[in-house]
Amino acid sequence: PVTGRSSWRQVPSKDLDVIKEKPAEAAVVKHCERRGQALVFHLNLLKAEKVVKNAYEMPFPHFIIADEFGSWRSRRSTLQLFIVDSHGAFHPIGPAHSSHDYIAEKGNGAYSHWRHHITNGTHGKSMLRFSTPKNVPIKKVQGMAAVVYPMVPPMGWIEFTQGKHVNHEELFREMFLQTFPTVGVSRPHLIEEASETKSGVRYLWRVGGAHEFELPLQEGELYEKRLPYQIAEWYSQFSKQGGILYPPPETYVYYQNKVGLANLFNERKVKIPATWVFSSFA
C-alpha cells in the first residue's frame, strides 16, 4: 500500500487498519507487483470455481479494464494470462477474449477477462473465466499470473505541512493514498514543495478550514476572508511548475467565499435568492 512521507503527521494505527481493509475480491490475489509499466497479479487458484466443463471462474479486481460482451467494449481488456512453473517462469496461455462457450467446450488455456455491463452500476463485477493447458485439473497447475497494463497517467499527492494539527487531516490523506493502487498507480509522486513538482504529473490535494491550512497574514487581514485566496495562490505555484492539479487551484477563490460566489452567480446569470452584502455597519 502507498504511505505518506515519514516526516508527515501519521494516522493512528487503529484508524489506518480500517482504511486498509481489503475488499473481498482482493482474496483472489496472493500479491501484486509492478514490472516496468505492467501490474502482475499472482492469483490464488484456491478461489477459482469450476463453472461448466473445462471452464473455471474467479473474481478479478474491478478497477482493471475488462471486456463487456455485446458492445464496442468487447475486446478492450489488456490482460494476459500465464502459467507459472515451479521455477517461477511464465508461460503464456490463450487465446484471450475467448467466448464462454469456447472456453467450456475447447478450453486448453482459452480465457476471458470480462465484466458485467456498466449499466449494472456498482453491483457489476469483473471476472476471469479461464481453462487450463490441455484441460488438466486445476490442482495440477503450479501457479497462475495475470499481467495488465493500466491506462492511467503519472499521478501524485501534494501535502500541506504548515497548518494546525487537526485529527481528521491525516485520515483523509491516507484514504486518498489508498485509492492510487486501485487505478494502477503503485508509486505516486509525493511532494510538499512546488520545487518538487514534476511536469505532466496529475496531483491530488486537499485542504480544510479550522486553520488546517494556514499561512502568515499581513497586518489587518482577516483569516476567513484571506483564506480562499491564499489556498489558490499557494497551490497555483505547483501548476506553474507544470503540475496538473485536481481540483484546479484557481477554483478555490470561492472556498467559503460567499460574497465571491454571489458575484459569480450574478455574473453568470444563475438564479439565486436575493443576496445582501453589507460593506459596513455604519
Side-chain angles (χ1 to χ4, degrees), residues 16-238:
L16 198 57
D17 289 341
V18 174
I19 299 172
K20 292 181 178 179
E21 283 183 354
K22 294 183 177 180
E25 66 181 22
V28 304
V29 178
K30 290 181 177 178
H31 69 276
C32 178
E33 61 179 317
R34 193 173 190 100
R35 296 190 183 183
Q37 296 300 311
L39 286 178
V40 181
F41 293 88
H42 295 267
L43 304 178
N44 182 1
L45 295 180
L46 295 176
K47 298 297 182 180
E49 297 183 0
K50 193 164 189 177
V51 287
V52 58
K53 294 186 178 179
N54 297 309
Y56 296 87
E57 194 165 70
M58 62 197 306
F60 197 76
H62 68 276
F63 54 86
I64 301 298
I65 291 176
D67 295 344
E68 289 182 31
F69 297 127
S71 74
W72 61 269
R73 296 181 288 267
S74 62
R75 294 178 66 88
R76 65 176 186 167
S77 172
T78 66
L79 187 145
Q80 300 172 58
L81 201 56
F82 296 83
I83 295 295
V84 183
D85 65 25
S86 58
H87 301 289
F90 283 34
H91 304 276
I93 61 175
H97 311 288
S98 295
S99 71
H100 288 184
D101 287 342
Y102 184 89
I103 297 170
E105 297 296 334
K106 301 293 184 181
N108 194 28
Y111 65 90
S112 169
H113 173 217
W114 67 281
R115 64 157 289 135
H116 296 113
H117 284 277
I118 198 168
T119 51
N120 286 6
T122 56
H123 300 291
K125 294 181 179 180
S126 289
M127 308 294 290
L128 181 59
R129 182 170 292 209
F130 64 94
S131 54
T132 60
K134 298 181 180 179
N135 298 322
V136 300
I138 197 168
K139 291 182 179 179
K140 293 186 177 182
V141 177
Q142 184 72 29
M144 189 172 286
V147 179
V148 299
Y149 291 85
M151 290 179 265
V152 62
M155 297 187 70
W157 174 266
I158 301 173
E159 179 80 348
F160 185 81
T161 60
Q162 302 178 43
K164 181 180 178 181
H165 183 194
V166 179
N167 288 333
H168 64 260
E169 178 182 8
E170 295 81 27
L171 188 63
F172 278 107
R173 180 194 71 218
E174 292 300 325
M175 290 175 70
F176 271 100
L177 293 186
Q178 295 312 306
T179 66
F180 283 115
T182 67
V183 292
V185 179
S186 59
R187 297 185 183 90
H189 190 224
L190 308 178
I191 61 176
E192 58 188 61
E193 299 289 345
S195 59
E196 301 175 289
T197 306
K198 289 183 179 179
S199 180
V201 172
R202 274 73 171 171
Y203 291 98
L204 299 178
W205 59 279
R206 67 165 297 278
V207 296
H211 297 272
E212 216 178 313
F213 181 95
E214 188 173 32
L215 290 173
L217 296 171
Q218 300 295 325
E219 185 176 354
E221 288 184 332
L222 183 65
Y223 170 77
E224 288 77 9
K225 187 174 182 179
R226 184 77 179 97
L227 176 63
Y229 299 97
Q230 284 186 325
I231 294 173
E233 292 163 5
W234 172 265
Y235 285 97
S236 66
Q237 298 177 82
F238 297 85

